[in-house]
Amino acid sequence: QSALTQPPSASGSPGQSVTISCTGTSSDFGGYNYVSWYQQHPGRAPKLMLFEVSKRPSGVPDRFSGSKSGNTASLTVSGLQAEDEADYYCCSYAGSNRFVFGVGTKVTVL
Amino acid sequence: EVQLVESGGGLVQPGGSLRLSCAASGFTFSSYWMIWVRQAPGKGLEWVAKIKQDGSEKYYVDSVKGRFTLSRDNAKKSLYLQMNSLRAEDTAVYYCAREGLGATPDYWGQGTLVTVSS
């Protein structure tokens, strides 16, 4: 099972928006809407930011939004803040009770 | 408050074995699928294995099949990962996670480092 494709890096100035893509094959995303996004700061455990493509867990700011079209999912962070600087990983259900993560994208706040 | 605390990591020689544990609290452990995810140093996340609420179903990533065994003790609210025939490429921080919202890992422990080296 190959990792999902993400750009290695993305950046934006405070207040701007940044969008990260996550691309897989039809067998990765299939017809499922079980795509989630995680934020990971250095030395810390990942934190769930979005699940089922665009749903936010309690406590996650609405600056974080998600979408999916075909075999590509996207995470958009609007109104960038310094604390948004982190690694972001997508994750998709890949069938047969298995999941696959993306390779990760480092977001830098300029 | 949901808490997951991993233990059992350490340095082991290639071919050796290690047993990781994960102690859960703050939620009804027996109601959730549980997952292990690992992260090699400086690398991305890799889904490793998951186990059903009653332990009757287990799924593994191909690279660990036949070497790793997942189990749980609902009375002790604990999850275990028995790792045998360890290889250098198994070196990673191993995270215990709960499968919750959207059938995805929603709560994670802080991880335990496994280093396979001679």
Side-chain angles (χ1 to χ4, degrees), chain A residues 60-109:
Chain A
V60 173
D62 59 7
R63 302 186 293 103
F64 292 84
S65 61
S67 64
K68 175 175 169 279
S69 178
N71 295 332
T72 298
S74 297
L75 166 71
T76 296
V77 185
S78 305
L80 268 175
Q81 298 182 5
E83 59 262 36
D84 299 331
E85 184 161 297
D87 293 326
Y88 290 83
Y89 295 90
C90 60
C91 178
S92 176
Y93 181 63
S96 302
N97 268 292
R98 289 170 176 80
F99 286 82
V100 61
F101 285 95
V103 296
T105 297
K106 181 176 181 58
V107 169
T108 301
V109 180

Side-chain angles (χ1 to χ4, degrees), chain B residues 82-102:
Chain B
Q82 177 66 44
M83 304 185 296
N84 299 329
S85 302
L86 282 163
R87 307 167 180 167
E89 54 264 36
D90 296 318
T91 294
V93 173
Y94 284 73
Y95 293 101
C96 162
R98 185 184 84 167
E99 185 179 285
L101 297 172

Side-chain angles (χ1 to χ4, degrees), chain B residues 6-13 17-20 83 86-87 90-94 111-117:
Chain B
E6 302 93 339
S7 61
L11 174 63
V12 61
Q13 292 187 338
S17 298
L18 214 52
R19 188 194 196 207
L20 305 184
M83 304 185 296
L86 282 163
R87 307 167 180 167
D90 296 318
T91 294
V93 173
Y94 284 73
T112 186
L113 175 62
V114 172
T115 303
V116 184
S117 175

